[in-house]
Short mmCIF file of all heavy atoms in Angstrom, two decimals:
data_model
loop_
_atom_site.label_atom_id
_atom_site.label_comp_id
_atom_site.label_asym_id
_atom_site.label_seq_id
_atom_site.Cartn_x
_atom_site.Cartn_y
_atom_site.Cartn_z
N TRP A 1 0.84 -1.20 0.00
CA TRP A 1 0.00 0.00 0.00
C TRP A 1 0.88 1.25 0.00
O TRP A 1 0.66 2.18 -0.79
CB TRP A 1 -0.95 -0.02 1.19
CG TRP A 1 -1.96 1.10 1.22
CD1 TRP A 1 -1.98 2.20 0.41
CD2 TRP A 1 -3.10 1.21 2.06
NE1 TRP A 1 -3.06 3.00 0.70
CE2 TRP A 1 -3.76 2.41 1.72
CE3 TRP A 1 -3.61 0.42 3.08
CZ2 TRP A 1 -4.93 2.82 2.37
CZ3 TRP A 1 -4.76 0.84 3.72
CH2 TRP A 1 -5.43 2.03 3.37
N LEU A 2 1.89 1.27 0.87
CA LEU A 2 2.81 2.41 0.88
C LEU A 2 3.48 2.59 -0.48
O LEU A 2 3.64 3.72 -0.96
CB LEU A 2 3.87 2.21 1.96
CG LEU A 2 3.43 2.37 3.42
CD1 LEU A 2 4.53 1.91 4.36
CD2 LEU A 2 3.06 3.82 3.72
N ALA A 3 3.85 1.49 -1.10
CA ALA A 3 4.57 1.57 -2.38
C ALA A 3 3.71 2.15 -3.49
O ALA A 3 4.26 2.72 -4.45
CB ALA A 3 5.09 0.19 -2.77
N THR A 4 2.39 2.04 -3.38
CA THR A 4 1.55 2.64 -4.43
C THR A 4 1.71 4.15 -4.46
O THR A 4 1.48 4.79 -5.49
CB THR A 4 0.05 2.30 -4.22
OG1 THR A 4 -0.43 2.86 -3.00
CG2 THR A 4 -0.16 0.79 -4.24
N HIS A 5 2.11 4.75 -3.34
CA HIS A 5 2.34 6.20 -3.31
C HIS A 5 3.57 6.60 -4.12
O HIS A 5 3.67 7.74 -4.58
CB HIS A 5 2.47 6.68 -1.86
CG HIS A 5 1.17 6.74 -1.13
ND1 HIS A 5 0.49 7.92 -0.89
CD2 HIS A 5 0.40 5.76 -0.59
CE1 HIS A 5 -0.63 7.67 -0.24
NE2 HIS A 5 -0.70 6.36 -0.04
N ILE A 6 4.49 5.66 -4.27
CA ILE A 6 5.67 5.95 -5.09
C ILE A 6 5.24 6.15 -6.54
O ILE A 6 5.67 7.09 -7.22
CB ILE A 6 6.69 4.80 -4.98
CG1 ILE A 6 7.09 4.56 -3.51
CG2 ILE A 6 7.90 5.08 -5.85
CD1 ILE A 6 7.79 5.72 -2.87
N TRP A 7 4.39 5.25 -7.03
CA TRP A 7 3.89 5.40 -8.39
C TRP A 7 3.04 6.67 -8.52
O TRP A 7 3.12 7.38 -9.52
CB TRP A 7 3.06 4.19 -8.81
CG TRP A 7 2.39 4.42 -10.13
CD1 TRP A 7 1.07 4.73 -10.35
CD2 TRP A 7 3.00 4.41 -11.42
NE1 TRP A 7 0.83 4.90 -11.69
CE2 TRP A 7 2.00 4.72 -12.38
CE3 TRP A 7 4.30 4.17 -11.87
CZ2 TRP A 7 2.26 4.79 -13.74
CZ3 TRP A 7 4.56 4.25 -13.24
CH2 TRP A 7 3.54 4.55 -14.15
N GLU A 8 2.23 6.95 -7.51
CA GLU A 8 1.39 8.15 -7.56
C GLU A 8 2.26 9.41 -7.73
O GLU A 8 1.91 10.30 -8.51
CB GLU A 8 0.54 8.27 -6.30
CG GLU A 8 -0.38 9.49 -6.32
CD GLU A 8 -1.23 9.61 -5.07
OE1 GLU A 8 -0.85 9.05 -4.03
OE2 GLU A 8 -2.26 10.29 -5.14
N TYR A 9 3.37 9.47 -6.99
CA TYR A 9 4.26 10.63 -7.12
C TYR A 9 4.78 10.74 -8.55
O TYR A 9 4.79 11.83 -9.14
CB TYR A 9 5.43 10.51 -6.13
CG TYR A 9 6.42 11.64 -6.26
CD1 TYR A 9 6.15 12.88 -5.71
CD2 TYR A 9 7.62 11.47 -6.96
CE1 TYR A 9 7.06 13.93 -5.84
CE2 TYR A 9 8.52 12.50 -7.10
CZ TYR A 9 8.24 13.74 -6.53
OH TYR A 9 9.13 14.77 -6.68
N TYR A 10 5.20 9.61 -9.13
CA TYR A 10 5.67 9.67 -10.51
C TYR A 10 4.52 10.04 -11.45
O TYR A 10 4.70 10.83 -12.39
CB TYR A 10 6.26 8.32 -10.96
CG TYR A 10 6.41 8.29 -12.47
CD1 TYR A 10 7.44 9.00 -13.08
CD2 TYR A 10 5.48 7.63 -13.26
CE1 TYR A 10 7.55 9.03 -14.47
CE2 TYR A 10 5.58 7.65 -14.65
CZ TYR A 10 6.61 8.36 -15.24
OH TYR A 10 6.71 8.41 -16.60
N ASP A 11 3.33 9.48 -11.23
CA ASP A 11 2.22 9.68 -12.14
C ASP A 11 1.86 11.16 -12.24
O ASP A 11 1.49 11.65 -13.32
CB ASP A 11 1.02 8.87 -11.66
CG ASP A 11 0.05 8.53 -12.77
OD1 ASP A 11 0.44 8.65 -13.95
OD2 ASP A 11 -1.10 8.16 -12.48
N TYR A 12 1.97 11.89 -11.13
CA TYR A 12 1.68 13.32 -11.14
C TYR A 12 2.85 14.13 -11.70
O TYR A 12 2.64 15.08 -12.45
CB TYR A 12 1.34 13.81 -9.73
CG TYR A 12 -0.11 13.65 -9.37
CD1 TYR A 12 -0.56 12.52 -8.70
CD2 TYR A 12 -1.05 14.63 -9.68
CE1 TYR A 12 -1.90 12.37 -8.36
CE2 TYR A 12 -2.39 14.50 -9.34
CZ TYR A 12 -2.80 13.36 -8.69
OH TYR A 12 -4.13 13.21 -8.35
N THR A 13 4.06 13.78 -11.32
CA THR A 13 5.22 14.60 -11.70
C THR A 13 5.80 14.22 -13.05
O THR A 13 6.43 15.05 -13.71
CB THR A 13 6.33 14.47 -10.66
OG1 THR A 13 6.82 13.11 -10.63
CG2 THR A 13 5.84 14.87 -9.27
N ARG A 14 5.63 12.93 -13.45
CA ARG A 14 6.27 12.38 -14.64
C ARG A 14 7.78 12.64 -14.62
O ARG A 14 8.40 12.93 -15.64
CB ARG A 14 5.63 12.95 -15.92
CG ARG A 14 4.16 12.57 -16.06
CD ARG A 14 3.99 11.06 -16.01
NE ARG A 14 2.61 10.65 -15.82
CZ ARG A 14 1.89 10.04 -16.77
NH1 ARG A 14 2.41 9.81 -17.94
NH2 ARG A 14 0.66 9.65 -16.51
N ASP A 15 8.34 12.52 -13.41
CA ASP A 15 9.79 12.68 -13.21
C ASP A 15 10.45 11.34 -13.52
O ASP A 15 10.55 10.46 -12.66
CB ASP A 15 10.06 13.11 -11.77
CG ASP A 15 11.53 13.41 -11.51
OD1 ASP A 15 12.38 12.95 -12.29
OD2 ASP A 15 11.83 14.08 -10.50
N LEU A 16 10.90 11.19 -14.75
CA LEU A 16 11.47 9.93 -15.21
C LEU A 16 12.74 9.56 -14.46
O LEU A 16 13.01 8.39 -14.17
CB LEU A 16 11.73 9.98 -16.71
CG LEU A 16 11.83 8.63 -17.43
CD1 LEU A 16 10.53 7.86 -17.30
CD2 LEU A 16 12.16 8.86 -18.91
N THR A 17 13.53 10.58 -14.12
CA THR A 17 14.77 10.33 -13.35
C THR A 17 14.44 9.75 -11.99
O THR A 17 15.08 8.80 -11.52
CB THR A 17 15.57 11.64 -13.19
OG1 THR A 17 15.90 12.15 -14.48
CG2 THR A 17 16.84 11.39 -12.40
N PHE A 18 13.42 10.30 -11.34
CA PHE A 18 12.99 9.76 -10.04
C PHE A 18 12.56 8.31 -10.18
O PHE A 18 12.94 7.45 -9.39
CB PHE A 18 11.83 10.58 -9.48
CG PHE A 18 11.10 9.90 -8.35
CD1 PHE A 18 11.60 9.95 -7.06
CD2 PHE A 18 9.94 9.18 -8.58
CE1 PHE A 18 10.94 9.29 -6.02
CE2 PHE A 18 9.28 8.53 -7.55
CZ PHE A 18 9.79 8.59 -6.27
N LEU A 19 11.75 8.02 -11.20
CA LEU A 19 11.25 6.65 -11.37
C LEU A 19 12.40 5.69 -11.61
O LEU A 19 12.44 4.59 -11.03
CB LEU A 19 10.27 6.59 -12.53
CG LEU A 19 9.58 5.24 -12.75
CD1 LEU A 19 8.70 4.87 -11.57
CD2 LEU A 19 8.77 5.24 -14.05
N LYS A 20 13.36 6.10 -12.41
CA LYS A 20 14.47 5.22 -12.78
C LYS A 20 15.43 5.02 -11.62
O LYS A 20 15.86 3.89 -11.35
CB LYS A 20 15.21 5.80 -13.98
CG LYS A 20 16.33 4.92 -14.51
CD LYS A 20 16.95 5.53 -15.76
CE LYS A 20 18.05 4.64 -16.32
NZ LYS A 20 18.65 5.22 -17.56
N GLU A 21 15.78 6.09 -10.92
CA GLU A 21 16.82 6.01 -9.91
C GLU A 21 16.31 5.66 -8.51
O GLU A 21 17.06 5.11 -7.71
CB GLU A 21 17.58 7.34 -9.85
CG GLU A 21 18.31 7.68 -11.15
CD GLU A 21 19.06 9.00 -11.06
OE1 GLU A 21 18.95 9.67 -10.01
OE2 GLU A 21 19.74 9.35 -12.05
N THR A 22 15.06 5.98 -8.22
CA THR A 22 14.54 5.78 -6.85
C THR A 22 13.27 4.94 -6.82
O THR A 22 13.17 3.96 -6.09
CB THR A 22 14.27 7.14 -6.18
OG1 THR A 22 15.47 7.91 -6.15
CG2 THR A 22 13.74 6.95 -4.77
N GLY A 23 12.28 5.34 -7.59
CA GLY A 23 10.94 4.79 -7.42
C GLY A 23 10.76 3.36 -7.89
O GLY A 23 10.11 2.55 -7.21
N TYR A 24 11.33 3.02 -9.05
CA TYR A 24 11.00 1.73 -9.65
C TYR A 24 11.40 0.55 -8.78
O TYR A 24 10.64 -0.41 -8.63
CB TYR A 24 11.65 1.61 -11.03
CG TYR A 24 11.36 0.27 -11.68
CD1 TYR A 24 10.06 -0.08 -12.04
CD2 TYR A 24 12.37 -0.67 -11.90
CE1 TYR A 24 9.78 -1.31 -12.62
CE2 TYR A 24 12.10 -1.89 -12.48
CZ TYR A 24 10.80 -2.22 -12.83
OH TYR A 24 10.51 -3.44 -13.39
N GLU A 25 12.58 0.60 -8.20
CA GLU A 25 13.03 -0.54 -7.40
C GLU A 25 12.13 -0.74 -6.19
O GLU A 25 11.87 -1.88 -5.77
CB GLU A 25 14.48 -0.32 -6.95
CG GLU A 25 15.12 -1.55 -6.32
CD GLU A 25 15.09 -2.79 -7.22
OE1 GLU A 25 15.32 -2.62 -8.44
OE2 GLU A 25 14.81 -3.89 -6.72
N LEU A 26 11.62 0.35 -5.60
CA LEU A 26 10.69 0.24 -4.47
C LEU A 26 9.40 -0.45 -4.91
O LEU A 26 8.86 -1.29 -4.19
CB LEU A 26 10.38 1.62 -3.90
CG LEU A 26 11.55 2.45 -3.36
CD1 LEU A 26 11.07 3.83 -2.94
CD2 LEU A 26 12.20 1.74 -2.18
N ILE A 27 8.91 -0.06 -6.07
CA ILE A 27 7.67 -0.64 -6.60
C ILE A 27 7.88 -2.10 -7.00
O ILE A 27 7.08 -2.98 -6.65
CB ILE A 27 7.17 0.18 -7.80
CG1 ILE A 27 6.80 1.60 -7.36
CG2 ILE A 27 6.00 -0.50 -8.48
CD1 ILE A 27 6.55 2.55 -8.51
N LYS A 28 8.96 -2.36 -7.72
CA LYS A 28 9.24 -3.71 -8.21
C LYS A 28 9.37 -4.70 -7.05
O LYS A 28 8.76 -5.78 -7.06
CB LYS A 28 10.51 -3.71 -9.03
CG LYS A 28 10.97 -5.10 -9.47
CD LYS A 28 12.32 -5.04 -10.18
CE LYS A 28 12.83 -6.45 -10.50
NZ LYS A 28 14.15 -6.42 -11.18
N SER A 29 10.18 -4.35 -6.05
CA SER A 29 10.40 -5.28 -4.94
C SER A 29 9.14 -5.47 -4.11
O SER A 29 8.92 -6.54 -3.53
CB SER A 29 11.55 -4.79 -4.05
OG SER A 29 11.33 -3.48 -3.59
N SER A 30 8.29 -4.47 -4.08
CA SER A 30 7.02 -4.60 -3.37
C SER A 30 6.07 -5.52 -4.14
O SER A 30 5.37 -6.35 -3.54
CB SER A 30 6.38 -3.22 -3.18
OG SER A 30 5.21 -3.32 -2.41
N ALA A 31 6.08 -5.41 -5.47
CA ALA A 31 5.25 -6.30 -6.28
C ALA A 31 5.73 -7.75 -6.17
O ALA A 31 4.92 -8.68 -6.11
CB ALA A 31 5.29 -5.84 -7.74
N ASP A 32 7.05 -7.94 -6.11
CA ASP A 32 7.60 -9.29 -5.93
C ASP A 32 7.14 -9.88 -4.61
O ASP A 32 6.80 -11.07 -4.52
CB ASP A 32 9.12 -9.25 -5.98
CG ASP A 32 9.66 -9.08 -7.39
OD1 ASP A 32 8.90 -9.32 -8.35
OD2 ASP A 32 10.83 -8.70 -7.54
N PHE A 33 7.11 -9.06 -3.56
CA PHE A 33 6.62 -9.56 -2.27
C PHE A 33 5.16 -9.99 -2.40
O PHE A 33 4.77 -11.06 -1.92
CB PHE A 33 6.73 -8.50 -1.18
CG PHE A 33 5.98 -8.87 0.07
CD1 PHE A 33 6.52 -9.77 0.96
CD2 PHE A 33 4.71 -8.35 0.31
CE1 PHE A 33 5.81 -10.16 2.10
CE2 PHE A 33 4.00 -8.73 1.45
CZ PHE A 33 4.55 -9.63 2.34
N ALA A 34 4.34 -9.16 -3.03
CA ALA A 34 2.92 -9.48 -3.16
C ALA A 34 2.71 -10.80 -3.89
O ALA A 34 1.89 -11.63 -3.50
CB ALA A 34 2.20 -8.34 -3.88
N VAL A 35 3.48 -11.02 -4.97
CA VAL A 35 3.37 -12.27 -5.73
C VAL A 35 3.74 -13.46 -4.86
O VAL A 35 3.04 -14.49 -4.84
CB VAL A 35 4.26 -12.21 -6.98
CG1 VAL A 35 4.43 -13.59 -7.60
CG2 VAL A 35 3.68 -11.24 -8.00
N ASP A 36 4.85 -13.35 -4.14
CA ASP A 36 5.31 -14.47 -3.32
C ASP A 36 4.39 -14.74 -2.14
O ASP A 36 4.30 -15.87 -1.66
CB ASP A 36 6.73 -14.19 -2.80
CG ASP A 36 7.77 -14.31 -3.88
OD1 ASP A 36 7.40 -14.60 -5.04
OD2 ASP A 36 8.97 -14.11 -3.58
N TYR A 37 3.71 -13.70 -1.67
CA TYR A 37 2.82 -13.87 -0.53
C TYR A 37 1.58 -14.68 -0.89
O TYR A 37 1.04 -15.43 -0.08
CB TYR A 37 2.38 -12.51 0.03
CG TYR A 37 1.49 -12.64 1.23
CD1 TYR A 37 2.04 -12.88 2.48
CD2 TYR A 37 0.10 -12.60 1.10
CE1 TYR A 37 1.22 -13.04 3.59
CE2 TYR A 37 -0.72 -12.77 2.19
CZ TYR A 37 -0.16 -12.99 3.44
OH TYR A 37 -0.96 -13.17 4.53
N LEU A 38 1.13 -14.57 -2.11
CA LEU A 38 -0.12 -15.21 -2.52
C LEU A 38 0.01 -16.73 -2.55
O LEU A 38 1.07 -17.28 -2.80
CB LEU A 38 -0.54 -14.70 -3.89
CG LEU A 38 -0.91 -13.21 -3.97
CD1 LEU A 38 -1.10 -12.80 -5.42
CD2 LEU A 38 -2.14 -12.89 -3.15
N TRP A 39 -1.12 -17.39 -2.35
CA TRP A 39 -1.22 -18.85 -2.44
C TRP A 39 -1.68 -19.22 -3.85
O TRP A 39 -2.75 -18.80 -4.30
CB TRP A 39 -2.21 -19.36 -1.40
CG TRP A 39 -2.55 -20.82 -1.50
CD1 TRP A 39 -1.76 -21.83 -1.96
CD2 TRP A 39 -3.80 -21.43 -1.11
NE1 TRP A 39 -2.42 -23.04 -1.89
CE2 TRP A 39 -3.67 -22.82 -1.37
CE3 TRP A 39 -4.98 -20.95 -0.57
CZ2 TRP A 39 -4.69 -23.72 -1.11
CZ3 TRP A 39 -6.00 -21.84 -0.30
CH2 TRP A 39 -5.87 -23.21 -0.56
N HIS A 40 -0.82 -19.96 -4.56
CA HIS A 40 -1.18 -20.44 -5.89
C HIS A 40 -1.97 -21.73 -5.72
O HIS A 40 -1.42 -22.79 -5.50
CB HIS A 40 0.07 -20.67 -6.74
CG HIS A 40 -0.21 -20.89 -8.19
ND1 HIS A 40 0.73 -21.37 -9.06
CD2 HIS A 40 -1.34 -20.69 -8.93
CE1 HIS A 40 0.19 -21.46 -10.27
NE2 HIS A 40 -1.05 -21.05 -10.21
N LYS A 41 -3.27 -21.64 -5.86
CA LYS A 41 -4.15 -22.77 -5.57
C LYS A 41 -4.10 -23.81 -6.70
O LYS A 41 -3.70 -23.51 -7.83
CB LYS A 41 -5.58 -22.27 -5.39
CG LYS A 41 -5.75 -21.30 -4.22
CD LYS A 41 -7.16 -20.78 -4.11
CE LYS A 41 -8.12 -21.88 -3.67
NZ LYS A 41 -9.49 -21.34 -3.44
N PRO A 42 -4.47 -25.04 -6.39
CA PRO A 42 -4.46 -26.10 -7.42
C PRO A 42 -5.30 -25.77 -8.65
O PRO A 42 -5.01 -26.27 -9.75
CB PRO A 42 -5.04 -27.31 -6.67
CG PRO A 42 -4.69 -27.05 -5.24
CD PRO A 42 -4.80 -25.56 -5.06
#
């Protein structure tokens, strides 16, 4: 949930440098956590 604010900041500012150098890794690693947390059912 916190990580969605990182994208929101980019979405408003369209600061590509921010997304590349700071924001993306925060979002990516958070998405990886969400995927791993889920139960892949039969």
Side-chain angles (χ1 to χ4, degrees):
W1 186 350
L2 287 170
T4 64
H5 285 257
I6 303 297
W7 172 257
E8 181 180 22
Y9 177 79
Y10 166 75
D11 204 17
Y12 274 93
T13 64
R14 297 305 166 110
D15 185 341
L16 202 60
T17 301
F18 165 82
L19 184 64
K20 184 176 182 179
E21 297 180 357
T22 302
Y24 179 65
E25 190 57 40
L26 300 176
I27 296 169
K28 174 185 175 181
S29 55
S30 185
D32 285 342
F33 168 79
V35 166
D36 287 1
Y37 181 81
L38 295 172
W39 172 30
H40 192 194
K41 298 178 69 175

